[in-house]
Amino acid sequence: MSNRTTKTDPGRFFEDFQLGEAIVHATPRTVTAGDVALYTALYGPRSAVQSSDAFAKALGYPAAPVDDLLVFHIVFGKTVPDISLNAVANLGYAEGRFLRPVFPGDTLSTTSEVIGLKQTSAGDAGIVYVRSIGRNQHGEAVLSYVRWVLVRKRQPRTPAHAERVPELAKAVQPGVLDASCPPLALAAYDNALAGSPFRWGDYAVSERIDHVDGMTVEEAEHQLATRLYQNTAKVHFDAHAARDSRFGKRLIYGGHVISLARALSFNGLGNAFHITAINGGRHVAPLFAGDTVYAWSEVLASAELPGRSDVGALRLRLVATKNRPCSDHPLKQGEEYDPSVILDFDYWALLPR
Amino acid sequence: MSNRTTKTDPGRFFEDFQLGEAIVHATPRTVTAGDVALYTALYGPRSAVQSSDAFAKALGYPAAPVDDLLVFHIVFGKTVPDISLNAVANLGYAEGRFLRPVFPGDTLSTTSEVIGLKQTSAGDAGIVYVRSIGRNQHGEAVLSYVRWVLVRKRQPRTPAHAERVPELAKAVQPGVLDASCPPLALAAYDNALAGSPFRWGDYAVSERIDHVDGMTVEEAEHQLATRLYQNTAKVHFDAHAARDSRFGKRLIYGGHVISLARALSFNGLGNAFHITAINGGRHVAPLFAGDTVYAWSEVLASAELPGRSDVGALRLRLVATKNRPCSDHPLKQGEEYDPSVILDFDYWALLPR
Amino acid sequence: MSNRTTKTDPGRFFEDFQLGEAIVHATPRTVTAGDVALYTALYGPRSAVQSSDAFAKALGYPAAPVDDLLVFHIVFGKTVPDISLNAVANLGYAEGRFLRPVFPGDTLSTTSEVIGLKQTSAGDAGIVYVRSIGRNQHGEAVLSYVRWVLVRKRQPRTPAHAERVPELAKAVQPGVLDASCPPLALAAYDNALAGSPFRWGDYAVSERIDHVDGMTVEEAEHQLATRLYQNTAKVHFDAHAARDSRFGKRLIYGGHVISLARALSFNGLGNAFHITAINGGRHVAPLFAGDTVYAWSEVLASAELPGRSDVGALRLRLVATKNRPCSDHPLKQGEEYDPSVILDFDYWALLPR
């Protein structure tokens, strides 16, 4: 008996999602020093807090915490087989909050709740909104975020779901920002070792920073990364099938771009050691192997954190381009994005005061 | 004094092997969380048992065991400098048995016994049969398997060895199958976390499963993998020399294909969490960088395990192709393999009941 | 306010260095089993001492030490943002001494002292000599070396520094060679597991060894390596900018070549388990992705170590070529290097007696 359809997971179509449904995603994952080393090799992050146990311990961490975006990618990767295997596009993120640091040895798992559904006017697809929560082995939430994706329908003519579009915050408000880091023994925060003399108070709202350096991406690199995150989206791996696709080649996982841009931003934001919230993000255009990524940042806002005198928060717009340096901070041409822009990412970072 | 011949290892030729000879292979290797992370990045395995310490511990393991094929590749890699540096072809495997789980921190070493020798009729090469055993730091066998390779002679006209072709089992018999896993606390085996609702009893003999997804291989990927296994076969690494070879380019280590196909087979065999025996395997055709690997499986047999009510075994035929999806389960055209087929692998996997 | 110049590190120019100045480099780095696994995957080293905790412990190490060149690259990488971001060329190394073994879990940091400055006659650049010291988390020096680089001036017409060219030893003298390894329990040194029957006494001065094997390098590989070392030199990563450069493509980090050649040298120098000193090194020509690296060695000297009857030292010249095998030991054509030569490296290795 041949029954591919019953044993192989075809992924969910728009009709398969129910409002309020809770989804337990597969493959819990113990994060290790091996993952951290690979993350370093893939992007070249240089923040002392994540790089050095000694530096992190002196500040008050029990060990160097895992890079926030590595946590994000692992938590996100688990959702792909259930949420976005049949996705046409990843439309956006909101209300992302890092709630607790993750250390090597912690095991991450992810659950999602369907919080919104909206069929397209064409009737052949729909937008699925999910709130996903990553938890450690103690059941403690380490990351929570909302994303919405455009998912194909199995059959164009099935009736539409009752429509519900959730109200999402345009940005995580400073008043609810969680430090998600232990109280820092600031006397131990050595600017020379950290690589930057600029603390939280040295950045001004509307300041723009060109991160100068460029990083060219190879097929092997983004494939290694995306498999490390156990993200199974076919478009990243199958060059044979991609030949007949819109772009004719493999697409690079959008999260790879976020990590590249974040690592490049060390040059200018060296003390922005921790992402505490993701306000939103848009993958403006696809990245392909052979392209070179550049980045620049704008300080959108600056905020104190409730009850914390050790760290302050900067709301940052991180823009990545391809094959175009960012000394003039390219963003929009009129209503449209500059053709070089591939990422427009909005997040809160913590810096020592 | 220049004496390349005495200091550099030229590899053994057919004349150098003695029937019954025991060979201690070089470079014991401590397997670490770093190797596990690289294995994940190279193939994207998603089995919860190997991915999560928490999941594995709940089942009764002391920690997440190392992927069986990573153990195989490391044990195998050590044999290359002594057995197959001058090999023309890797002809087959038999009687492979995984005997004990391996955990990060264990140190693996390999010994081999020459169990068969047969000169070719042309007289310029011969088949060498070896039984190789991988052991951990306590001297306990973790893997045993037979392979046979065609090895060049140093001089075509030397007399032939006394011929001996060993009798090898066509398959490891269910009665001697070793679970090589601790008794599982099945109540802790969560199908949702494992990623598949199908247990051992849900598979029927002769059932065929297309694993759907495809994975394109890059030069950097297979080189990283093969070096990780300390496998020194030149054909995988030297593009300069390969230009004058039969194929004109680097060949990908056959074990890389096995690992890719096994990882792809998660989609349809998500609960086949452990390879307990390798019955045989044939590298039907070579794989090159740029090719895309697909895979499908057939259930050849199903067996209970002596004394075990927690797990059952499936004998699986795992077929990998290149540049051709497997929805119609390509295998043979008459007597010959379909030109797309690159691997025909026969193994026993364990699944929870 | 847009102030790229104040927040982004433009790197130092020749004018910015002061004789005697001490520089604390950024980003302390905890070395882990993940780094070791990546190093294995990138180069394929096979020395049992670094590969096996069991082998190393039997000899007297507390665990398998980290490969010496991995330590070198990490210590070196930290100096790049401060020393060589605006370097035209990396001119040489001297007085390199490995002073203590490094183990997974150790945290490395680097400081440098400016020990020499010499403006070029053209006046648009200058040579900067620095002595860099890598230390572990206890403040103990693990590596010390001198390098000199040609650094651009910010403005060609600024006055020259007072010139000082340091006197550097042509080689580390045997009398001051530090074993930088614990006393070895030689009875536990198993030649079969180590992979070579040749001990220190088996090598003769002026002996030449072709290491036979070749290794082709991919862009993804050297980028992964160089980021792993947190080395930020732009020339290795930015293919877009490189199009307008002298070579039109990315340059491979010179240290990548040293590690490749050293790993290849296992075939002929299998028991040279530890680099204890670097006498000098010259990157004769650049390496690019797609090139194949070969290597050969010459024994320049042999020395006993003060107070040590377990190990002896060989002074070795390690020559790497590209796209040309080394059976005839290519080096010079008259005064000039053979066009295939890319590395001429001079170091002291330890071998068991």
Side-chain angles (χ1 to χ4, degrees):
Chain A
M1 113 193 159
S2 174
N3 56 355
R4 162 190 166 192
T5 47
T6 56
K7 291 296 193 319
T8 304
D9 182 7
R12 287 165 180 244
F13 291 87
F14 183 65
E15 298 93 322
D16 301 323
F17 291 93
Q18 302 298 325
L19 203 60
E21 183 186 2
I23 301 173
V24 174
H25 301 296
T27 315
R29 172 81 149 75
T30 303
V31 185
T32 72
D35 300 307
V36 171
L38 267 164
Y39 194 83
T40 302
L42 287 163
Y43 308 109
R46 288 184 285 146
S47 175
V49 171
Q50 283 78 23
S51 178
S52 165
D53 281 337
F55 192 91
K57 284 176 181 175
L59 289 177
Y61 284 93
V66 171
D67 194 286
D68 304 303
L69 290 175
L70 174 53
V71 173
F72 177 81
H73 298 321
I74 290 177
V75 168
F76 180 103
K78 298 184 191 325
T79 70
V80 169
D82 297 312
I83 305 296
S84 49
L85 216 56
N86 298 308
V88 182
N90 198 22
L91 299 175
Y93 310 100
E95 299 185 5
R97 294 178 62 193
F98 290 87
L99 300 166
R100 254 180 204 80
V102 172
F103 302 99
D106 284 351
T107 297
L108 300 179
S109 54
T110 309
T111 56
S112 293
E113 185 189 356
V114 181
I115 61 169
L117 291 168
K118 182 181 193 310
Q119 187 167 303
T120 57
S121 53
D124 60 347
I127 301 174
V128 178
Y129 296 79
V130 291
R131 184 181 306 274
S132 298
I133 299 179
R135 287 188 173 79
N136 64 20
Q137 69 276 23
H138 307 299
E140 299 164 334
V142 299
L143 169 63
S144 171
Y145 68 95
V146 172
R147 77 160 165 145
W148 51 107
V149 291
L150 184 62
V151 178
R152 270 189 285 272
K153 287 180 71 177
R154 184 176 282 108
Q155 298 186 339
R157 291 191 201 87
T158 53
H161 281 287
E163 178 177 316
R164 184 182 161 197
V165 176
E167 280 194 40
L168 298 170
K170 288 210 172 132
V172 178
Q173 291 307 304
V176 300
L177 270 187
D178 197 282
S180 53
C181 73
L184 299 194
L186 271 195
Y189 197 99
D190 181 319
N191 280 357
L193 289 179
S196 167
F198 304 109
R199 300 284 182 104
W200 172 70
D202 296 318
Y203 290 86
V205 173
S206 87
E207 184 173 349
R208 293 176 168 203
I209 303 162
D210 169 22
H211 302 305
V212 181
D213 305 309
M215 191 72 78
T216 305
V217 182
E218 301 296 320
E219 299 280 14
E221 293 169 351
H222 76 83
Q223 292 197 149
L224 287 168
T226 311
R227 283 186 297 246
L228 186 70
Y229 313 140
Q230 295 173 310
N231 177 330
T232 58
K234 304 167 209 269
V235 291
H236 310 314
F237 299 114
D238 186 338
H240 182 76
R243 289 188 317 196
D244 302 324
S245 72
R246 178 174 159 209
F247 297 108
K249 49 191 170 180
R250 281 165 280 179
L251 283 173
I252 292 174
Y253 163 50
H256 198 70
V257 177
I258 301 175
S259 281
L260 282 168
R262 164 81 173 149
L264 290 171
S265 78
F266 182 87
N267 195 351
L269 286 165
N271 283 329
F273 71 97
H274 174 44
I275 297 179
T276 188
I278 296 173
N279 299 309
R282 185 164 164 197
H283 297 293
V284 175
L287 180 74
F288 303 103
D291 288 339
T292 302
V293 175
Y294 299 88
W296 65 275
S297 292
E298 179 175 0
V299 180
L300 298 179
S302 180
E304 301 198 3
L305 282 172
R308 300 288 296 247
S309 58
D310 53 343
V311 291
L314 293 182
R315 184 176 169 190
L316 296 163
R317 179 179 215 164
L318 176 60
V319 177
T321 61
K322 62 180 177 186
N323 307 323
R324 183 190 189 293
C326 293
S327 56
D328 61 345
H329 315 116
L331 184 61
K332 299 221 173 174
Q333 298 184 339
E335 291 293 295
E336 301 293 313
Y337 277 99
D338 184 280
S340 71
V341 172
I342 56 176
L343 174 73
D344 189 1
F345 192 70
D346 179 344
Y347 70 106
W348 283 101
L350 297 192
L351 291 87
R353 296 175 70 159
Chain B
M1 118 192 158
S2 174
N3 56 354
R4 161 187 169 197
T5 49
T6 57
K7 290 297 192 319
T8 303
D9 182 7
R12 288 165 180 243
F13 291 87
F14 184 65
E15 297 94 321
D16 301 323
F17 291 94
Q18 302 299 325
L19 202 59
E21 183 186 2
I23 301 172
V24 175
H25 302 295
T27 316
R29 172 82 149 75
T30 303
V31 186
T32 70
D35 300 306
V36 171
L38 266 163
Y39 194 84
T40 302
L42 287 163
Y43 308 108
R46 288 183 285 146
S47 177
V49 171
Q50 283 78 22
S51 178
S52 164
D53 281 337
F55 193 91
K57 285 177 180 174
L59 289 178
Y61 284 92
V66 171
D67 194 288
D68 303 301
L69 291 174
L70 175 54
V71 172
F72 177 82
H73 297 321
I74 290 176
V75 168
F76 181 104
K78 298 183 191 326
T79 70
V80 169
D82 297 311
I83 306 296
S84 48
L85 216 56
N86 297 308
V88 183
N90 198 21
L91 299 175
Y93 311 100
E95 300 186 4
R97 294 178 62 195
F98 290 87
L99 300 166
R100 252 180 206 79
V102 173
F103 301 99
D106 285 351
T107 297
L108 300 179
S109 54
T110 310
T111 57
S112 294
E113 185 189 354
V114 180
I115 61 169
L117 291 168
K118 183 182 192 307
Q119 186 167 302
T120 57
S121 52
D124 61 347
I127 302 173
V128 178
Y129 297 79
V130 292
R131 185 181 305 275
S132 298
I133 299 180
R135 287 187 172 80
N136 64 21
Q137 69 277 21
H138 306 300
E140 300 165 334
V142 299
L143 168 64
S144 171
Y145 68 95
V146 173
R147 78 160 165 144
W148 51 108
V149 291
L150 185 63
V151 178
R152 270 188 286 272
K153 287 180 72 176
R154 184 176 281 108
Q155 299 186 340
R157 292 191 200 85
T158 53
H161 282 287
E163 178 175 317
R164 183 180 162 199
V165 176
E167 281 195 37
L168 297 169
K170 289 212 171 129
V172 178
Q173 291 307 303
V176 300
L177 271 188
D178 198 280
S180 52
C181 73
L184 299 193
L186 272 195
Y189 196 99
D190 181 318
N191 281 356
L193 288 178
S196 167
F198 305 109
R199 300 285 182 104
W200 173 71
D202 296 318
Y203 290 85
V205 173
S206 87
E207 184 173 348
R208 293 177 168 203
I209 303 162
D210 169 22
H211 301 305
V212 180
D213 305 309
M215 192 73 78
T216 305
V217 182
E218 302 297 320
E219 299 281 14
E221 293 169 350
H222 76 85
Q223 292 197 149
L224 287 168
T226 311
R227 283 187 297 245
L228 186 70
Y229 314 141
Q230 295 172 311
N231 177 330
T232 58
K234 304 166 208 270
V235 292
H236 309 315
F237 299 113
D238 187 337
H240 183 75
R243 288 189 317 197
D244 302 324
S245 71
R246 177 174 161 210
F247 298 109
K249 49 191 170 180
R250 282 165 280 179
L251 283 172
I252 292 174
Y253 163 49
H256 198 70
V257 177
I258 301 175
S259 281
L260 282 168
R262 165 81 172 145
L264 291 170
S265 78
F266 183 87
N267 194 351
L269 286 165
N271 283 329
F273 71 97
H274 174 42
I275 297 179
T276 187
I278 295 173
N279 299 309
R282 186 166 165 197
H283 296 293
V284 176
L287 181 74
F288 303 102
D291 288 337
T292 302
V293 175
Y294 298 88
W296 65 274
S297 292
E298 178 175 0
V299 180
L300 298 180
S302 180
E304 301 197 3
L305 282 172
R308 300 288 296 247
S309 58
D310 53 343
V311 290
L314 293 183
R315 184 176 169 191
L316 296 163
R317 179 178 215 165
L318 175 60
V319 177
T321 61
K322 62 180 176 187
N323 307 322
R324 183 191 189 292
C326 292
S327 57
D328 60 346
H329 314 116
L331 184 60
K332 298 219 173 177
Q333 298 184 340
E335 292 293 294
E336 300 293 314
Y337 277 98
D338 183 279
S340 70
V341 172
I342 56 176
L343 174 73
D344 189 1
F345 192 70
D346 179 344
Y347 71 106
W348 283 102
L350 297 192
L351 292 86
R353 295 174 70 160
Chain C
M1 122 192 153
S2 174
N3 55 352
R4 163 190 167 194
T5 48
T6 56
K7 292 298 193 317
T8 303
D9 182 7
R12 286 166 181 244
F13 291 87
F14 183 66
E15 297 93 321
D16 301 324
F17 291 93
Q18 302 299 325
L19 203 59
E21 183 187 3
I23 302 172
V24 175
H25 302 296
T27 316
R29 172 82 148 77
T30 303
V31 186
T32 71
D35 300 306
V36 172
L38 266 163
Y39 194 84
T40 302
L42 287 163
Y43 308 108
R46 287 184 284 146
S47 177
V49 171
Q50 283 78 22
S51 178
S52 165
D53 281 337
F55 192 91
K57 285 177 181 173
L59 289 177
Y61 283 93
V66 171
D67 195 286
D68 304 301
L69 290 175
L70 175 53
V71 172
F72 177 81
H73 298 322
I74 290 177
V75 168
F76 180 104
K78 298 183 191 326
T79 70
V80 170
D82 297 312
I83 305 297
S84 49
L85 215 57
N86 298 308
V88 182
N90 198 22
L91 299 175
Y93 310 100
E95 300 186 4
R97 293 178 63 193
F98 289 87
L99 300 166
R100 253 180 205 81
V102 173
F103 302 99
D106 284 351
T107 297
L108 300 178
S109 54
T110 309
T111 56
S112 294
E113 185 189 355
V114 180
I115 62 169
L117 291 168
K118 183 181 192 310
Q119 186 167 304
T120 58
S121 53
D124 61 347
I127 301 175
V128 178
Y129 297 79
V130 291
R131 185 180 305 276
S132 298
I133 298 179
R135 288 188 173 80
N136 63 22
Q137 69 276 22
H138 307 299
E140 300 165 333
V142 299
L143 168 64
S144 170
Y145 68 95
V146 172
R147 77 159 164 144
W148 52 106
V149 291
L150 185 63
V151 178
R152 270 187 286 272
K153 287 180 70 176
R154 185 176 283 110
Q155 298 187 339
R157 289 190 202 88
T158 53
H161 282 287
E163 177 176 316
R164 184 181 161 196
V165 175
E167 281 194 39
L168 297 169
K170 289 212 171 131
V172 178
Q173 292 307 303
V176 300
L177 270 187
D178 198 281
S180 52
C181 72
L184 299 194
L186 271 194
Y189 196 98
D190 181 319
N191 280 356
L193 288 179
S196 167
F198 305 109
R199 299 286 182 103
W200 172 71
D202 296 318
Y203 290 86
V205 173
S206 86
E207 184 174 349
R208 292 178 168 203
I209 302 162
D210 169 22
H211 301 306
V212 181
D213 305 308
M215 192 73 78
T216 306
V217 182
E218 302 295 321
E219 299 281 13
E221 293 170 350
H222 75 85
Q223 292 198 148
L224 287 169
T226 311
R227 282 186 297 244
L228 186 71
Y229 313 141
Q230 296 173 311
N231 177 329
T232 58
K234 304 168 209 269
V235 291
H236 309 315
F237 299 114
D238 187 336
H240 182 75
R243 288 188 318 196
D244 302 324
S245 71
R246 178 176 160 208
F247 297 109
K249 48 192 170 179
R250 281 164 280 180
L251 283 172
I252 292 174
Y253 163 50
H256 198 71
V257 177
I258 301 176
S259 280
L260 281 168
R262 164 82 172 147
L264 290 171
S265 78
F266 183 88
N267 195 351
L269 286 165
N271 283 329
F273 70 97
H274 175 43
I275 298 178
T276 186
I278 295 173
N279 299 310
R282 185 164 165 198
H283 296 294
V284 176
L287 180 74
F288 303 103
D291 287 339
T292 302
V293 175
Y294 298 88
W296 66 273
S297 292
E298 178 175 1
V299 181
L300 297 179
S302 180
E304 302 198 4
L305 282 172
R308 299 289 296 246
S309 59
D310 52 343
V311 290
L314 294 183
R315 184 177 168 190
L316 296 162
R317 177 178 216 166
L318 174 60
V319 178
T321 62
K322 62 180 178 186
N323 307 323
R324 183 191 189 291
C326 292
S327 57
D328 61 345
H329 315 116
L331 184 59
K332 298 219 172 175
Q333 297 183 342
E335 292 293 295
E336 300 293 313
Y337 278 98
D338 183 280
S340 70
V341 172
I342 56 175
L343 174 73
D344 189 2
F345 192 70
D346 179 344
Y347 70 106
W348 284 102
L350 297 191
L351 292 85
R353 296 175 71 158

